Every structure is written in structure tokens, then in C-alpha cells.
Amino acid sequence: MHEFQCRKHCGACCIAPSIKHPFFGMPHGKPAGVMCSNLDKNSMQCTIWNTSHYPNVCKQFAPDIDICGKNRDQALEIISTLELDTIPSSSSKTKNK
Ligand code: SF4
Ligand code: SF4
């Protein structure tokens, strides 16, 4: 088993998912597909990592090949799909089977 390392200049997990609870810089939470205001647009790195403002929800997220994919586009796609699949009480969710 090898440990997956977060890719540089990705930031997909700070864009694709929604974060329901308010946190520093995002007083209304973060809608899916919206770049977190704490993400540096040039470096695609979190500007509040390792500070007291860093939210628990982000602390709990660990890079994983199944989520991060092989590149940024894959990560955005996978996380967006997971996002849709995990919306609570989404009765309009379409099923292919
Ligand atoms: S999606 Fe994965 S590789 Fe990309 S920034 Fe997030 S943890 Fe890192
Ligand atoms: S607080 Fe940092 S790690 Fe969390 S979503 Fe925003 S930029 Fe990403």
C-alpha cells in the first residue's frame, strides 16, 4: 500500500465539493463548484492551512487516489460526481439501472 500525496497546483477538493457549514472566509458555507475564498488562485494552495481558522471539515479530508484521480480534471470530475451522489434526500437523483 502506498500513500497518495496531494498534487501541487490542484485545489480540486477546494472547488468541487460543497461545504454546508459556515467557516472562515465562507460565512454561508461553500456551494459545490465554487472556489473556496481561502484558496490562493495562483498556487492553488490553502492560505489558512495550519492556522486556527483551518476548518475541521478540511482537516478530516485526506488525499486519496480514488478521489484525487490521476490529474486535476479527473479529481474535479470524481468529486463532482461524489458530490451529486451524496446530496442528502436527493429524490431527483437519476439511476441508470
Ligand atoms: S483533489 Fe487531491 S490532489 Fe487535488 S488538491 Fe485535493 S487532495 Fe490534493
Ligand atoms: S479552507 Fe483551505 S483546505 Fe479548506 S476548502 Fe478552503 S482552501 Fe481548501
Side-chain angles (χ1 to χ4, degrees), residues 4-15 39 44-45 61-65 67-69 71-72 74-76 79:
F4 181 80
Q5 299 256 321
C6 176
R7 232 178 348 253
K8 287 188 174 162
H9 302 286
C10 177
C13 57
C14 305
I15 299 169
L39 189 66
M44 286 291 159
Q45 291 195 337
F61 179 83
D64 187 311
I65 185 73
I67 294 172
C68 304
N71 53 50
R72 184 171 189 265
Q74 270 192 10
L76 286 168
I79 298 169

Side-chain angles (χ1 to χ4, degrees), residues 14 23 36 38-39 46 48 54-55 58:
C14 305
F23 60 100
C36 176
N38 300 306
L39 189 66
C46 178
I48 59 169
Y54 193 61
C58 302

Side-chain angles (χ1 to χ4, degrees), residues 16-86:
S18 64
I19 299 176
K20 311 275 185 254
H21 301 291
F23 60 100
F24 181 81
M26 302 291 288
H28 305 292
K30 192 188 90 54
V34 170
M35 182 181 283
C36 176
S37 62
N38 300 306
L39 189 66
D40 183 278
K41 289 186 180 71
N42 296 316
S43 66
M44 286 291 159
Q45 291 195 337
C46 178
T47 54
I48 59 169
W49 184 77
N50 228 4
T51 72
S52 58
H53 296 305
Y54 193 61
N56 279 332
V57 65
C58 302
K59 280 183 197 157
Q60 285 157 13
F61 179 83
D64 187 311
I65 185 73
D66 290 340
I67 294 172
C68 304
K70 291 181 183 158
N71 53 50
R72 184 171 189 265
D73 285 347
Q74 270 192 10
L76 286 168
E77 195 180 319
I78 293 167
I79 298 169
S80 300
T81 305
L82 288 172
E83 175 71 23
L84 291 178
D85 282 352
T86 52

